[in-house]
Amino acid sequence: MTVLEVIKNHHAVRQFSDRPVPDEVMLAILDAGRRSQSSKNTQPWQFIVVTDRALLESMSKMGNFAGHLAGAAFAVLLVGLQDNTWNSFDLGQAASYLQLAADEVGVGSCIAAIYYPEQVKALLNIPEEHSAFCAISFGYAAPEHKPAQMGGRKPVQEVAYWNKWEGKRS
Ligand SMILES: Cc1cc2nc3c(=O)[nH]c(=O)nc-3n(C[C@H](O)[C@H](O)[C@H](O)COP(=O)(O)O)c2cc1C
């Protein structure tokens, strides 16, 4: 698939099969994540790769919509720095790289917002000065997975403006 095809096909996968993701596939996904661009090339991320089922189940209770973590083949907790203005932006870009690379190798994914970062930090021994507000589930999609019916995106005409705020093209 081309990058454009990967982007067009991307959608959240929240139901996963039991099929394990081979180490080399996991490493290829992580390698894509660490290649993401970042402000001043600070690369302000650490990726905590969680494969332990009990840890995944605990993490799935640390966000109100994080249940899919429990069934993931593995999850990546994005760990950043608390005091960096561009931290969230940089971590968001790394998340996209991780997810789009996963798409290319046939691995589905979905973000889980962590509502209780102090709990996840305690669970995974992450030092106080770090942020931990986003985890991503990864795994091969379960046979019953269907892309969300509510999915879809606004048309480009609705979100793109040419030159000035009122600059629309039909
Ligand atoms: C910042 C962010 C936070 C998200 N948090 C959650 C979450 O906590 N739980 C969840 O199931 N999906 C979460 N998602 C996934 C979105 O719900 C999903 O990307 C969106 O609904 C589009 O889905 P689609 O690509 O299948 O159309 C999050 C996505 C982003 C970008």
Side-chain angles (χ1 to χ4, degrees):
M1 281 195 285
T2 66
V3 174
L4 279 179
E5 286 167 343
V6 169
I7 289 170
K8 281 181 184 168
N9 285 323
H10 178 78
H11 60 271
V13 176
R14 298 183 176 86
Q15 293 166 291
F16 302 100
S17 77
D18 293 335
R19 183 180 158 203
V21 177
D23 275 3
E24 61 270 24
V25 174
M26 291 171 57
L27 287 169
I29 293 168
L30 294 167
D31 191 54
R34 63 113 189 157
R35 288 177 183 276
S36 176
Q37 62 187 346
S38 59
S39 169
K40 298 177 182 166
N41 199 27
T42 45
Q43 306 167 64
W45 44 66
Q46 265 93 35
F47 306 138
I48 311 286
V49 185
V50 182
T51 56
D52 181 271
R53 185 63 49 205
L55 291 176
L56 288 167
E57 285 173 3
S58 296
M59 290 170 66
S60 76
K61 301 182 182 93
M62 294 175 182
N64 292 4
F65 306 98
H68 52 81
L69 286 166
F74 71 101
V76 174
L77 181 75
L78 299 178
V79 174
L81 295 168
Q82 305 266 31
D83 60 353
N84 179 334
T85 312
W86 284 97
N87 184 71
S88 300
F89 189 93
D90 292 340
L91 293 193
Q93 299 227 40
S96 285
Y97 276 49
L98 289 163
Q99 291 190 276
L100 294 175
D103 287 335
E104 175 162 349
V105 293
V107 172
S109 66
C110 186
I111 288 178
I114 299 297
Y115 284 43
Y116 311 107
E118 296 312 316
Q119 289 183 14
V120 82
K121 284 163 65 174
L123 182 73
L124 304 180
N125 301 335
I126 296 164
E128 181 53 34
E129 64 271 22
H130 292 281
S131 69
F133 56 85
C134 176
I136 311 174
S137 291
F138 290 94
Y140 295 107
E144 63 270 25
H145 160 74
K146 289 192 186 67
Q149 293 302 308
M150 286 170 57
R153 300 293 187 267
K154 296 174 185 175
V156 69
Q157 292 85 351
E158 197 177 321
V159 299
Y161 296 74
W162 266 259
N163 298 311
K164 293 199 177 186
W165 180 252
E166 64 276 31
K168 285 291 196 180
R169 280 188 190 176
S170 55

